[in-house]
Amino acid sequence: MQCQYHVKRKNRLCKMTVKEGEKFCGQHMVFDSSTDSNDNSKEIKHTRVECPYDNKHTDRVPPIEREILHHVVLSEELKNSSYGPNKMKHLLQNSSLLGHAEKSGLLHQNTVFIEFGAGRGQLSYYIAKTMQEDNSCLLLLIDRASQRHKFDNKLKDSSTLCKRIRADISDLCLEFIPILHQYKRIVSLGKHLCGSATDLALRCVVNCNEVEEGRSVTADGILMALCCHHRCDWNSYTGKDFMLAQGFTADDFDVMSGITSWATCGPAYSREMSIPEEYGSHGHVQRPTHLIPTDDERKIIGRKSKAIFNYGRQMYLESHGYKCRLIEYVTEETSPENVCVLAQRVIPHSTPQVSL
């Protein structure tokens, strides 16, 4: 079948052939708008962007699956109409994360569930309810702050052992926590890990596997919601090798980190309106109008920057023996921070090919 892209300069269709089921050839696939962004189906079609070295070509962007799940343990609470939008948002997030944990086989007996940046421990609380009072599991909550109204207080009479450690993740070494070695596997969770805290947690988990070979407990699973990319830090970022391989520098990273906030901070009008009208008349160079992105363009650019950061983290985990998926686990209407990473340890340490 012939490519359906109309070449204006030649006033005809492109003569390249296409793959079965496609409308455009590889070069013009970037113009395929047949994928419905509002479709909640599991798979999202591969998108393409212009090659940074030659804009006549396009590169495939790694896909993010959209799979919104619900777990039965929260079904009754999700039906409670008295809950406000903020509480409902957290319930939907927890429900989908639990659904993915169960579907991917992370909810085993004889497991330590570590919630990094646990806060009040709501996710761990629902993990305990999901495990149905299993006394062969341990809930370990890590947070550097002291919390009030903790959910783990509700588990005092539960047969599921629950412990809380007050520590900064950057100072945490899991291999030096003796109680962990009484269990078979570790599953790491996170829902409140802002920016660099995600990278510190991922590195903490990976280091736990590599410090000592042949021990009884291994960090087999990771399920973490990814958020607040504008708070990422180059020194702690786990995907530096990927970024450097693509030609990005530490300065580029800092710029992109700021740009990621465009995806979540809404229109720029309020900030622009706060600037005096005379600004730019005292030697400042005004930006040309055609270089000022619209709100929709800012949002798209911000989400692409976040996707690059997330992909760097995926490459880091895959280089340390994990099979990874990036998943849109709730709708964007529920939360603009709607992507999580799901990783399961499957092979020994290896180095995958770094590419876009």
Side-chain angles (χ1 to χ4, degrees):
M1 180 178 175
Q2 183 179 355
C3 175
Q4 298 300 298
Y5 178 77
H6 185 264
V7 184
K8 293 183 179 179
R9 182 171 58 87
K10 299 181 179 180
N11 195 27
R12 62 168 175 78
L13 294 178
C14 171
K15 293 185 177 180
M16 295 295 292
T17 58
V18 301
K19 293 182 179 179
E20 184 177 354
E22 300 289 349
K23 293 171 58 179
F24 298 93
C25 65
Q27 180 174 343
H28 297 125
M29 199 173 291
V30 69
F31 299 102
D32 188 357
S33 60
S34 61
T35 301
D36 184 2
S37 60
N38 295 319
D39 183 12
N40 284 333
S41 60
K42 178 178 177 180
E43 296 289 339
I44 295 181
K45 200 171 185 178
H46 290 281
T47 56
R48 303 183 73 87
V49 297
E50 286 187 356
C51 174
Y53 302 108
D54 184 354
N55 60 11
K56 293 182 179 179
H57 303 103
T58 60
D59 295 319
R60 191 180 73 172
V61 177
I64 298 179
E65 296 180 27
R66 182 184 291 119
E67 189 172 11
I68 301 167
L69 302 179
H70 297 288
H71 197 280
V72 65
V73 77
L74 283 98
S75 58
E76 291 302 317
E77 288 203 67
L78 289 172
K79 296 176 183 178
N80 193 329
S81 59
S82 66
Y83 289 159
N86 188 59
K87 184 166 185 176
M88 189 60 66
K89 177 189 75 171
H90 290 296
L91 290 175
L92 287 169
Q93 290 175 315
N94 284 323
S95 181
S96 188
L97 289 173
L98 284 175
H100 282 289
E102 184 173 68
K103 182 177 179 180
S104 57
L106 297 182
L107 303 182
H108 288 290
Q109 294 181 338
N110 201 15
T111 299
V112 181
F113 296 98
I114 303 179
E115 184 179 0
F116 290 91
R120 294 170 60 202
Q122 188 178 49
L123 180 58
S124 292
Y125 171 73
Y126 289 117
I127 287 284
K129 293 186 67 175
T130 300
M131 298 306 293
Q132 297 179 349
E133 305 294 320
D134 191 334
N135 58 9
S136 69
C137 295
L138 168 66
L139 297 174
L140 183 62
L141 288 71
I142 311 294
D143 202 285
R144 66 180 181 180
S146 178
Q147 301 290 334
R148 299 178 62 189
H149 309 298
K150 297 185 287 287
F151 274 77
D152 31 316
N153 290 335
K154 300 179 181 181
L155 300 175
K156 288 182 178 179
D157 298 327
S158 171
S159 60
T160 301
L161 185 61
C162 181
K163 292 186 176 294
R164 180 179 283 264
I165 296 178
R166 185 176 177 183
D168 194 301
I169 300 174
S170 62
D171 301 322
L172 185 66
C173 296
L174 297 179
E175 61 273 13
F176 295 132
I177 303 177
I179 195 172
L180 299 189
H181 299 277
Q182 300 176 18
Y183 297 85
K184 186 176 181 180
R185 65 183 65 83
I186 296 172
V187 171
S188 302
L189 308 166
K191 180 177 171 289
H192 307 283
L193 292 172
C194 295
S196 59
T198 300
D199 298 292
L200 294 173
L202 294 178
R203 186 174 285 109
C204 179
V205 173
V206 167
N207 289 344
C208 176
N209 277 331
E210 298 188 345
V211 166
E212 181 183 353
E213 294 294 334
R215 64 192 181 285
S216 58
V217 63
T218 57
D220 285 349
I222 299 172
L223 180 61
M224 295 182 182
L226 307 173
C227 69
C228 303
H229 297 74
H230 59 282
R231 298 184 64 180
C232 288
D233 175 75
W234 175 254
N235 291 329
S236 58
Y237 179 59
T238 53
K240 285 198 289 285
D241 290 342
F242 163 75
M243 298 292 283
L244 293 171
Q246 305 306 318
F248 293 105
T249 65
D251 290 336
D252 296 330
F253 181 90
D254 290 339
V255 172
M256 291 176 63
S257 179
I259 289 176
T260 60
S261 65
W262 292 1
T264 56
C265 290
Y269 298 134
S270 59
R271 296 186 293 277
E272 292 171 356
M273 291 175 65
S274 65
I275 301 175
E277 292 182 3
E278 64 269 21
Y279 183 83
S281 62
H282 301 287
H284 297 284
V285 179
Q286 291 275 20
R287 181 184 295 179
T289 304
H290 70 280
L291 293 180
I292 301 177
T294 65
D295 290 336
D296 288 341
E297 290 171 337
R298 286 169 59 89
K299 185 175 179 180
I300 292 172
I301 295 170
R303 290 190 73 84
K304 287 183 177 180
S305 297
K306 291 164 77 72
I308 291 173
F309 281 17
N310 291 340
Y311 188 61
R313 290 162 168 167
Q314 177 180 343
M315 296 300 295
Y316 170 77
L317 290 173
E318 289 182 353
S319 72
H320 288 84
Y322 287 90
K323 181 179 180 181
C324 296
R325 296 163 58 201
L326 293 171
I327 307 168
E328 290 188 1
Y329 71 105
V330 293
T331 65
E332 192 174 343
E333 290 73 22
T334 300
S335 172
E337 302 281 19
N338 65 336
V339 176
C340 71
V341 59
L342 174 62
Q344 293 175 278
R345 187 168 173 83
V346 291
I347 56 174
H349 179 90
S350 61
T351 303
Q353 183 179 357
V354 178
S355 65
L356 280 172

